[in-house]
């Protein structure tokens, strides 16, 4: 009988505005997420899917962490899954700040690993922002923003804006 190991899955949440978004408006953009499992942090940006040791991006340690539960998905199967995502849905050129971003990636990966998506207050934020006059005014600027991780497989940190 095969040995079934269980691995903890965490959602790292980074406040990219470092508190400014919460002070100005509860509907401002500013949260970046990643999935931490198997001792690595996985994220998606303008450079595609990358990984590093937990807290190893230029953003440092996350501002908050959500325990998403455990997975019995073996690491090698997870790596195959990520490879298929890298070649299709999460190629670098597919990144879009509002529709296809780090949060959609985190939610999809969490669903694969645990059967549960990340909290909707994170994934619904872009559409809530865009529904406001302020969001509509900012859209041309925000559409031009991409996150471009740099380095070897993300190990050198989380890149430039």
């Amino acid at each position: 009988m095969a040995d079934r190991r269980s691995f903890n899955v965490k959602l790292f949440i980074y406040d990219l505005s470092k508190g400014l978004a919460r002070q100005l408006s509860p509907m401002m953009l500013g949260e970046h997420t990643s999935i931490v499992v198997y001792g690595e942090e996985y994220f998606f940006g303008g450079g595609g899917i990358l990984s590093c040791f937990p807290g190893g991006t230029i953003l440092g340690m996350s501002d908050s962490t959500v325990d998403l539960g455990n997975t019995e998905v073996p690491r090698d199967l997870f790596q195959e899954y990520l490879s298929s995502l890298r070649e299709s849905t999460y190629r670098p050129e597919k990144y879009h700040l509002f529709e296809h971003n780090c949060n959609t990636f985190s939610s999809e990966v969490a669903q694969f690993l645990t059967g549960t998506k990340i909290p909707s207050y994170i994934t619904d934020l872009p559409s809530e922002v865009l529904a406001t006059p302020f969001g509509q005014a900012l859209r041309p600027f925000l559409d031009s923003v991409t996150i471009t991780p740099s380095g070897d497989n993300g190990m050198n940190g989380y890149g430039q804006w």
Side-chain angles (χ1 to χ4, degrees):
M1 191 155 137
D3 179 31
R4 283 287 201 183
R5 293 186 57 201
S6 183
F7 303 93
N8 188 250
V9 181
K10 294 187 183 301
L11 177 70
F12 273 18
I13 303 172
Y14 297 90
D15 176 5
L16 297 178
S17 73
K18 295 301 178 197
L20 183 60
R22 285 189 186 90
Q23 290 176 344
L24 294 177
S25 166
M27 291 178 50
M28 280 287 292
L29 289 174
E31 292 190 320
H32 163 77
T33 61
S34 60
I35 295 290
V36 177
V37 65
Y38 313 110
E40 276 190 75
E41 181 174 355
Y42 298 90
F43 51 92
F44 173 66
I49 298 172
L50 297 172
S51 67
C52 64
F53 57 90
T57 71
I58 200 168
L59 300 173
M61 287 306 297
S62 65
D63 295 297
S64 61
T65 302
V66 175
D67 189 342
L68 297 174
N70 291 313
T71 186
E72 292 185 358
V73 173
R75 185 180 186 136
D76 58 341
L77 178 60
F78 179 66
Q79 292 298 331
E80 287 177 31
Y81 169 72
L82 284 183
S83 291
S84 71
L85 292 180
R86 274 188 191 103
E87 295 170 9
S88 59
T89 316
Y90 290 94
R91 293 192 319 265
E93 67 274 11
K94 298 265 188 172
Y95 179 85
H96 187 273
L97 184 62
F98 294 110
E99 284 95 25
H100 199 69
N101 54 39
C102 59
N103 300 327
T104 52
F105 170 77
S106 292
S107 194
E108 190 168 327
V109 171
Q111 177 78 37
F112 176 79
L113 290 170
T114 67
T116 306
K117 295 182 177 191
I118 69 172
S120 62
Y121 75 86
I122 296 171
T123 55
D124 292 348
L125 188 60
S127 59
E128 290 173 10
V129 170
L130 290 177
T132 67
F134 182 66
Q136 286 298 307
L138 279 179
R139 181 153 192 161
F141 167 72
L142 294 174
D143 276 343
S144 69
V145 173
T146 59
I147 298 172
T148 309
S150 61
D152 302 323
N153 201 28
M155 297 305 288
N156 290 336
Y158 206 61
Q160 305 83 26
W161 283 86

